[in-house]
Amino acid sequence: MLAINSKEPNLTQELKVGSSIGLFKVFSLSDHQIILGEDDSHLNFRVLITNQNTSSQNISVTTQVEINNFFGKIYFTFIRPIHPLIVKALLKNIDK
């Protein structure tokens, strides 16, 4: 099991723009989509979780990274190959 944070996020809290879920800040919130992320000096990260309201594939997750400088580029060079594995591990454990 992959743990981002040892403290479990409180998913029963009232979500609003500016609040946090675990390590991630809520940037946008609507009936069908939430945008979470974090910004630092090296890169900006967003994860979009969308409820598509279809019977075959209800939830989609999209990640987006904006690299701000050379150090962000170096960091992401190492993270990029394992990024899909991290996302899959997080999604696998989402209902537990």
Side-chain angles (χ1 to χ4, degrees), residues 4-76:
I4 294 179
N5 188 348
S6 60
K7 181 180 176 187
E8 292 290 326
N10 179 4
L11 299 178
T12 61
Q13 71 187 19
E14 183 178 332
L15 292 179
K16 58 184 177 184
V17 174
S19 66
S20 294
I21 298 177
L23 296 175
F24 302 119
K25 177 180 171 185
V26 176
F27 282 91
S28 176
L29 189 61
S30 71
D31 290 339
H32 301 288
Q33 184 179 69
I34 184 169
I35 301 175
L36 307 168
E38 195 60 47
D39 294 342
D40 69 22
S41 60
H42 305 306
L43 53 83
N44 302 332
F45 170 79
R46 298 291 182 274
V47 59
L48 291 75
I49 303 169
T50 305
N51 181 345
Q52 297 177 348
N53 289 328
T54 63
S55 60
S56 64
Q57 184 180 4
N58 200 30
I59 303 294
S60 70
V61 177
T62 305
T63 58
Q64 185 177 30
V65 176
E66 178 183 26
I67 297 170
N68 295 331
N69 57 33
F70 181 71
F71 295 109
K73 189 172 186 173
I74 291 171
Y75 173 80
F76 197 64

